[in-house]
Amino acid sequence: QVQLVESGGGLVQPGGPLGLSCTASGIIFRFYVMGWYRQAPGKQRELVAAISSGGTTNYADSVKGRFTISRDNAKNTVYLQMNSLQPEDTAAYYCHAKWIHEDWGRGTQVTGSS
């Protein structure tokens, strides 16, 4: 059974850093495109960043230069380092895995607020 377990969410002051991680089980992790999505209240879920099996990354324009996605295939884990967090980054962040199938984590809340 596939499981994607996110951790690292929380409350951070505007301008501060926060790191998320997502550990996968039940999949051949190294083959999967891994991504982070977010959904703010009343808004659609949107792609934040993704990383291919080969390490190619893709970012939403709104987070380019502030967020960094990375992966450790030995640990079946994908990371999202978020810097210069702003109130508009406040959302539930979801881990996503896609290859033959796609799966979602349950999400972790990130709140940028003073």
Side-chain angles (χ1 to χ4, degrees):
Q1 186 173 355
V2 178
Q3 278 194 316
L4 302 175
V5 180
E6 302 103 333
S7 61
L11 175 67
V12 60
Q13 289 191 340
L18 191 67
L20 304 180
S21 62
C22 169
T23 300
S25 59
I27 62 172
I28 307 174
F29 182 83
R30 66 184 184 276
F31 292 148
Y32 278 71
V33 176
M34 300 300 299
W36 289 96
Y37 286 70
R38 67 185 180 188
Q39 188 168 19
K43 294 188 177 181
Q44 288 190 329
R45 191 171 295 190
E46 62 175 359
L47 174 69
V48 176
I51 184 167
S52 73
S53 58
T56 300
T57 57
N58 180 43
Y59 296 94
D61 287 343
S62 60
V63 306
K64 281 181 181 176
R66 299 189 297 124
F67 291 10
T68 302
I69 189 170
S70 61
R71 65 190 295 159
D72 185 338
N73 289 341
K75 296 182 178 180
N76 283 10
T77 300
V78 61
Y79 304 95
L80 185 68
Q81 179 62 41
M82 303 180 289
N83 296 324
S84 302
L85 271 166
Q86 301 301 318
E88 52 265 34
D89 296 315
T90 296
Y93 283 69
Y94 296 89
C95 182
H96 179 254
K98 185 175 182 180
W99 184 38
I100 297 174
H101 306 288
E102 65 175 341
D103 294 278
W104 294 92
R106 291 189 173 184
T108 185
Q109 180 67 33
V110 173
T111 302
S113 174
S114 56

